[in-house]
Amino acid sequence: MRPTTDALIIVDVQNDFCPGGALEVPEGDAVVPAINALMDDFAVIVLTQDWHPPRHGSFASEHPGRAPMETVQMPYGEQVLWPDHCIQGSRGAAFHPDLRTDPAQLVIRKGFRPAIDSYSAFFENDHTTRTGLEGYLRERGVERLTVAGLATDFCVKFSALDAARLGFEVTVPEHACRGIDLDGSLAAARDEMRGAGVVLAP
Ligand code: VGL
Ligand code: ZN
């Protein structure tokens, strides 16, 4: 067991990001056994859950004439438009049924403000509005984070980059992550994370 200065942050292992879901990540469900095993090593465990109201501003269905995976300009910057996904209380928003959730002490829900998306576990996409996770981790004395889950090139990446910027030591175990890979976004995400001092582990 690692010391209580280490935390495991498990990002968005939800039905909609797994095969058959509304925004499926290829092999998304393959992270479940890997993450379940990782949980045995950590005393501090946090789950995040993408948690959108119906008609969320990141949904292509809210942008007439636009299709999923297109990009639009929002007041806070560029936004990829997604299929409707992870609607609060829906089966798609639930954690994968095989994910162990009992060992987690905190679930951070994000993306609940209709007009702004939230990829990172720490900040919304305006990079200013906080989720509260940093304060929680600091109050528990956490200094090092292992960030795993879905999707490597979106919510895992933004969470890892924000964590590194906030001064945490960050490792991303790639066997416990899968990516969406839109136009090379997976390779770019790996470069960005490495460039920010995030350790990519096998
Ligand atoms: C995610 C796209 C939209 C993610 C969430 O969890 O990576 N990606 N919402
Ligand atoms: Zn989302």
Side-chain angles (χ1 to χ4, degrees), residues 22 66 139 161 183:
R66 300 304 192 121
E139 288 193 20
L161 291 177
D183 302 323

Side-chain angles (χ1 to χ4, degrees), residues 7-14 28 30-39 42 45-49 95 99 110 119 121 145-157 159-160 170-179 193 198-202:
L8 177 63
I9 312 293
I10 299 160
V11 177
D12 297 2
V13 181
Q14 294 166 260
V31 305
V32 172
I35 288 172
N36 285 346
L38 274 176
M39 284 192 207
F42 288 85
I45 301 177
V46 176
L47 305 175
T48 75
Q49 197 171 22
F95 292 115
L99 180 74
K110 59 187 182 60
Y119 292 149
L145 303 181
T146 296
V147 182
L150 305 171
T152 319
D153 40 350
F154 288 91
C155 291
V156 171
K157 176 188 89 168
S159 299
V170 186
T171 300
V172 171
E174 295 192 281
H175 77 286
C177 303
R178 289 294 185 280
M193 287 193 279
V198 172
V199 175
L200 300 184

Side-chain angles (χ1 to χ4, degrees), residues 134 167 188:
E134 184 195 4

Side-chain angles (χ1 to χ4, degrees), residues 17 50 52 58 85 117:
F17 298 121
D50 210 38
H52 299 307
S58 74
H85 66 279
D117 209 359

Side-chain angles (χ1 to χ4, degrees), residues 57-58 63 66-67 69-74 76-81:
S58 74
H63 300 259
R66 300 304 192 121
M69 311 307 175
E70 289 182 15
T71 299
V72 293
Q73 209 54 43
M74 299 282 248
Y76 53 83
E78 264 201 358
Q79 171 71 47
V80 179
L81 296 178

